[in-house]
Short mmCIF file of all heavy atoms in Angstrom, two decimals:
data_model
loop_
_atom_site.label_atom_id
_atom_site.label_comp_id
_atom_site.label_asym_id
_atom_site.label_seq_id
_atom_site.Cartn_x
_atom_site.Cartn_y
_atom_site.Cartn_z
N ARG A 268 17.45 10.04 10.82
CA ARG A 268 17.45 11.41 10.34
C ARG A 268 18.61 11.69 9.38
O ARG A 268 18.59 12.66 8.66
CB ARG A 268 17.50 12.38 11.51
CG ARG A 268 16.22 12.33 12.35
CD ARG A 268 16.09 13.53 13.24
NE ARG A 268 14.94 13.43 14.09
CZ ARG A 268 13.72 13.90 13.78
NH1 ARG A 268 13.51 14.45 12.65
NH2 ARG A 268 12.74 13.79 14.64
N THR A 286 27.65 0.34 3.72
CA THR A 286 28.61 1.29 3.16
C THR A 286 30.01 0.95 3.66
O THR A 286 30.18 0.31 4.70
CB THR A 286 28.25 2.74 3.55
OG1 THR A 286 28.25 2.85 4.97
CG2 THR A 286 26.90 3.13 2.99
N GLU A 313 -1.23 4.48 -12.59
CA GLU A 313 -1.41 5.87 -13.02
C GLU A 313 -2.10 5.96 -14.38
O GLU A 313 -3.00 6.78 -14.57
CB GLU A 313 -0.05 6.56 -13.09
CG GLU A 313 -0.13 8.04 -13.42
CD GLU A 313 1.24 8.70 -13.40
OE1 GLU A 313 2.25 8.01 -13.67
OE2 GLU A 313 1.28 9.89 -13.13
N GLU A 395 18.98 6.01 -4.30
CA GLU A 395 18.42 6.62 -5.50
C GLU A 395 16.92 6.31 -5.60
O GLU A 395 16.50 5.21 -5.24
CB GLU A 395 19.11 6.07 -6.75
CG GLU A 395 20.56 6.45 -6.87
CD GLU A 395 21.17 5.86 -8.14
OE1 GLU A 395 20.49 5.88 -9.19
OE2 GLU A 395 22.30 5.37 -8.05
N ARG A 423 -26.48 -11.21 -10.18
CA ARG A 423 -26.84 -11.09 -8.77
C ARG A 423 -27.68 -9.84 -8.54
O ARG A 423 -27.53 -8.84 -9.21
CB ARG A 423 -25.59 -10.98 -7.90
CG ARG A 423 -24.82 -12.23 -7.76
CD ARG A 423 -23.77 -12.04 -6.72
NE ARG A 423 -22.93 -13.22 -6.60
CZ ARG A 423 -21.86 -13.27 -5.88
NH1 ARG A 423 -21.46 -12.21 -5.21
NH2 ARG A 423 -21.15 -14.37 -5.81
N CYS A 435 -16.56 6.15 5.43
CA CYS A 435 -15.96 6.02 6.75
C CYS A 435 -15.71 7.41 7.33
O CYS A 435 -15.18 8.29 6.65
CB CYS A 435 -14.66 5.23 6.66
SG CYS A 435 -13.77 5.11 8.22
N SER A 456 -23.03 -6.80 7.87
CA SER A 456 -22.53 -5.59 8.50
C SER A 456 -21.85 -4.73 7.44
O SER A 456 -21.55 -5.21 6.35
CB SER A 456 -21.55 -5.95 9.62
OG SER A 456 -20.45 -6.66 9.08
#
Side-chain angles (χ1 to χ4, degrees):
R268 293 197 184 269
T286 60
E313 185 177 28
E395 294 180 41
R423 288 189 183 172
C435 176
S456 61

